[in-house]
Amino acid sequence: MRSHDYGRDILSGGRARKQTPEVLAEPGVVVEDPASGFCGAVVGFEYGNVVLEDRRGGRRLFPLNPAGFLLDGAPVTLIRPPAATAPSTPKVSASGSVKVQGLRARTARESRIWVEGIHDAELVELVWGHDLRVEGVVVEPLDGIDHLAERVAEFGTGPGRRLGVLVDHLVSGSKESRVVDGLRDDNVLVTGHPYVDVWAAVKPSVVGIPAWPTVPRGIEWKVGVCDALGWGEPADGWRRVRAAVTGFRDLEPPLVGAVERLIDFVTDPGEN
């Protein structure tokens, strides 16, 4: 007599095992190798292995094992598409990193990057936005850092929940340096640049001036700059600055280095 005449087959071992989804390994699909933490985009195949490339241009080969990768945090099996080609020549993003074609943004991490204001956030997005979407990092403006310690405590840092903080005018003896010196948390990294405002971290030649004007004490820096240059209101001045920036080469090295260190810190595979 057939087993289904008696209901469920008692020898079947219970519920059917859930199958791992199969994903076509097309160029630009971003996955993570769970064993090493290496996260990169598919760029081709070599010797039967898939080639992944991270945002810095590093390439590694991985076997196409069942359930061998994570996509948006969930296990998947990569399937080689028909007529898969050799690794392609990489294109470069505004930050100088390898540009992922057909980007599928990674699910946001719990770790965050904080910046002082909306202009800082827009500039970071303009130059590093591609990298941030590949890595799943959210940038949030703080509207100043006077209450940074309290904000960090409210956030609640820990393993896999790191904070990177970008600070303007981070020089010895400044108000900003005194605020930062009070922080004691291994899951928080504060970097910064010496300029009084993030505008000044844009090279003057990029916006068509020989140098950023000197603004007397007591006058808001952006207001003083716009008055000296005839740029109108700060909102008008910011539109000029933002429109002139096309990539990391338009920025002063201290800002570029500070942002890169923050991205590396919050995306450390050992912490996420």
Side-chain angles (χ1 to χ4, degrees):
M1 186 176 292
R2 292 173 296 178
S3 62
H4 68 256
D5 291 340
Y6 292 95
R8 183 178 62 86
D9 184 354
I10 62 174
L11 300 179
S12 65
R15 275 182 278 177
R17 182 176 298 175
K18 186 177 180 181
Q19 290 189 337
T20 303
E22 295 182 346
V23 174
L24 205 60
E26 296 177 322
V29 172
V30 178
V31 294
E32 178 180 347
D33 171 52
S36 65
F38 187 90
C39 181
V42 174
V43 293
F45 296 84
E46 289 184 0
Y47 311 111
N49 299 303
V50 64
V51 183
L52 300 184
E53 184 172 79
D54 66 14
R55 68 183 185 86
R56 301 174 189 84
R59 294 189 176 191
R60 290 180 61 178
L61 277 65
F62 296 94
L64 293 168
N65 294 329
F69 300 91
L70 299 178
L71 177 63
D72 295 336
V76 297
T77 298
L78 287 185
I79 302 298
R80 182 171 180 166
T85 60
S88 59
T89 302
K91 295 184 179 180
V92 178
S93 72
S95 71
S97 66
V98 176
K99 192 168 187 179
V100 177
Q101 302 300 313
L103 172 64
R104 182 176 175 181
R106 176 176 175 162
T107 301
R109 299 171 184 260
E110 291 189 46
S111 298
R112 294 285 186 271
I113 290 177
W114 287 352
V115 297
E116 287 204 52
I118 189 65
H119 292 174
D120 306 70
E122 289 184 13
L123 192 61
V124 169
E125 165 61 29
L126 181 64
V127 176
W128 287 274
H130 178 83
D131 305 57
L132 296 169
R133 284 185 287 278
V134 169
E135 299 288 357
V137 177
V138 175
V139 175
E140 299 174 343
L142 285 173
D143 194 24
I145 63 163
D146 290 346
H147 304 288
L148 180 59
E150 293 91 331
R151 293 290 301 273
V152 170
E154 291 173 2
F155 180 81
T157 60
R161 190 171 170 81
R162 285 182 158 191
L163 280 174
V165 186
L166 179 69
V167 177
D168 299 338
H169 199 222
L170 191 61
V171 296
S172 179
S174 68
K175 176 196 76 173
E176 291 80 3
S177 67
R178 290 192 293 272
V179 170
V180 169
D181 287 344
L183 283 176
R184 297 288 186 274
D185 190 328
D186 291 340
N187 291 303
V188 178
L189 174 66
V190 180
T191 66
H193 55 77
Y195 311 106
V196 67
D197 190 276
V198 76
W199 289 21
V202 177
K203 294 177 179 177
S205 59
V206 171
V207 293
I209 59 176
W212 288 101
T214 300
V215 178
R217 284 181 174 274
I219 298 177
E220 185 182 344
W221 191 83
K222 289 187 179 77
V223 172
V225 165
C226 289
D227 287 346
L229 297 175
W231 282 0
E233 298 297 321
D236 303 313
W238 173 241
R239 281 192 286 270
R240 285 175 175 262
V241 174
R242 184 177 57 191
V245 175
T246 60
F248 77 100
R249 292 183 177 84
D250 297 331
L251 307 178
E252 299 288 1
L255 175 61
V256 175
V259 175
E260 290 286 345
R261 288 195 298 275
L262 293 181
I263 295 175
D264 289 343
F265 179 73
V266 299
T267 60
D268 183 344
E271 293 291 333
N272 291 279

